[in-house]
Amino acid sequence: MRRISRITVAGAATASLALALSACGGTSTSAGSSDSKGDKGLAIAYDVGGKGDQSFNDAAYAGLEQAKKEFGYQTADVEPTEGETDADKEQRLVSLAKQGHNPVIGVGYAYASAVKGAAEKFPDTTFGIVDDATINAKNVADLVFSEEEASYLAGVAAAKTSKSKVVGFVGGVDIPLIHKFQAGFAQGVKDTDPKVKVLSQYLTQTAEEGGFASPDKGKTAAEGQIEKKADVVYAAAGLSGQGVIEAAAANKVWAIGVDSDQYQQEALAKYKDSILTSAMKDVAKAVYNLAKSVEDGKPETGIVRGDLKTGEVSLSNSNPKFADDAELQEAIKTAKEKIISGEIKVKSS
């Protein structure tokens, strides 16, 4: 174990952490193996929607679980609170670092200011942030993805599958990150079949308005697109995407999931036959890899990007109707090869 045990101060630190976390988000898990000897490893702080979103946050949790199992140390994962400030987020990360957790990861671009502040206070702790590339610090890893590449493939799938020649995109919040999903999807659709119309809608202008955490908003948006003849709807909306999938299932059209393989999500099991595929980004792998780099004594730092070439963005093949469609799979394979080779340049805005 390449980490100094904090067992001698565990009593005081645990008490102070409990007070701090009660004010800025509760710890949903703080677990370790019986032989972990007090060592504290990876900790994550969730984005809007929290654990159980069947998407972005749950993917980060999967990476944490893998690290906990492999390295046998104590981990922590902390929920966000409604209406919290950047200062609240920073205090959450600071509390985890004080406890001795290393690395500490903020899940989502909203943690940018908090990660920057906490990293300055704890230069010997490695911090990570998912979906933000703005922090330039020796002890920070910016874990980012080429979401537009997987979204392009989702666009190919949508265009090849649509019978109405109308497909939909539902974005959670109108921000540059989600613009990447929309841009790649629309380009994939148009390159595959220029006759297919793409309907696009954003649920909110800011995350605080619930764009990533409101299944009802997602459902309403999808229903509106389905009324306009969309028969494939792609959501990049976090927890709100569940509403999009529900609407697709109710109207017997296709949904395309995002971030995680949503066909496999237990909470979405009753809708899975309507989930064509999911445009995945391997947040679990990124989280685990950062934890492993710290464990190996060579912490990742700077921009760490996952894309089609590294295998960290992809389309899921869990739905047999999707996986067994030879013509569709060939079209996706061809597009993927052209993106990796550089023949296709995927737009990010």
Side-chain angles (χ1 to χ4, degrees):
M1 198 65 68
R2 299 177 184 271
R3 184 176 287 98
I4 298 173
S5 172
R6 305 287 182 114
I7 191 71
T8 56
V9 295
T14 300
S16 63
L17 179 68
L19 288 172
L21 293 180
S22 66
C24 61
T27 303
S28 58
T29 304
S30 184
S33 63
S34 59
D35 61 349
S36 62
K37 299 179 182 178
D39 285 300
K40 299 228 171 61
L42 172 63
I44 61 177
Y46 292 118
D47 196 7
V48 172
K51 186 177 175 182
D53 67 349
Q54 311 300 320
S55 184
F56 184 70
N57 289 301
D58 281 1
Y61 179 71
L64 177 139
E65 286 286 275
Q66 184 182 356
K68 181 175 72 174
K69 180 178 180 180
E70 183 165 332
F71 306 133
Y73 52 35
Q74 293 183 18
T75 61
D77 58 314
V78 189
E79 296 284 352
T81 58
E82 188 174 349
E84 66 187 20
T85 65
D86 286 344
D88 294 329
K89 290 183 175 69
E90 183 174 332
Q91 181 56 45
R92 180 177 303 134
L93 302 181
V94 165
S95 296
L96 292 167
K98 277 184 178 178
Q99 265 266 297
H101 287 286
N102 189 17
V104 176
I105 300 176
V107 183
Y109 69 91
Y111 276 94
S113 174
V115 167
K116 186 174 185 295
E120 289 172 354
K121 292 181 174 70
F122 290 85
D124 295 329
T125 298
T126 295
F127 290 84
I129 182 166
V130 180
D131 280 351
D132 181 87
T134 65
I135 303 172
N136 183 14
K138 291 181 179 180
N139 61 327
V140 176
D142 298 324
L143 308 176
V144 294
F145 302 86
S146 296
E147 296 94 347
E148 68 277 10
E149 294 182 352
S151 295
Y152 184 101
L153 300 184
V156 174
K160 296 288 286 185
T161 301
S162 178
K163 292 180 171 58
S164 68
K165 300 295 184 181
V166 181
V167 301
F169 172 81
V170 177
V173 180
D174 190 357
I175 53 173
L177 173 63
I178 307 303
H179 296 170
K180 293 171 68 179
F181 290 88
Q182 180 189 8
F185 179 69
Q187 185 182 348
V189 170
K190 293 302 181 184
D191 285 356
T192 304
D193 187 346
K195 295 180 181 178
V196 177
K197 182 179 181 180
V198 181
L199 305 175
S200 297
Q201 181 176 343
Y202 287 91
L203 301 180
T204 64
Q205 294 298 306
T206 67
E208 290 74 19
E209 295 171 279
F212 291 132
S214 305
D216 57 328
K217 293 181 189 294
K219 182 178 180 181
T220 298
E223 287 172 342
Q225 294 182 342
I226 293 166
E227 286 178 5
K228 295 176 182 177
K229 307 301 182 184
D231 59 356
V232 184
V233 185
Y234 173 39
L239 185 63
S240 299
Q242 292 190 26
V244 174
I245 292 170
E246 182 183 350
N251 289 277
K252 301 188 184 319
V253 302
W254 287 112
I256 295 178
V258 76
D259 292 341
S260 299
D261 183 355
Q262 297 199 292
Y263 184 91
Q264 298 283 11
Q265 294 287 356
E266 185 176 344
L268 298 172
K270 62 183 176 180
Y271 308 125
K272 72 177 186 177
D273 289 340
S274 296
I275 301 173
L276 181 66
T277 181
S278 296
M280 300 188 297
K281 59 182 183 184
D282 203 341
V283 175
K285 183 177 179 181
V287 166
Y288 166 79
N289 282 348
L290 181 57
K292 186 176 188 303
S293 75
V294 172
E295 192 70 9
D296 291 344
K298 299 177 181 179
E300 291 179 331
T301 187
I303 294 176
V304 182
R305 182 175 297 278
D307 56 18
L308 281 180
K309 187 173 183 178
T310 67
E312 288 176 59
V313 302
S314 62
L315 285 190
S316 63
N317 269 332
S318 297
N319 189 331
K321 291 182 179 178
F322 176 76
D324 296 341
D325 187 327
E327 182 182 346
L328 178 55
Q329 290 298 321
E330 183 61 29
I332 290 168
K333 178 184 177 184
T334 299
K336 178 180 177 180
E337 289 173 349
K338 288 182 177 180
I339 292 170
I340 292 174
S341 71
E343 183 177 344
I344 293 176
K345 305 289 186 184
V346 184
K347 299 174 184 177
S348 59
S349 63

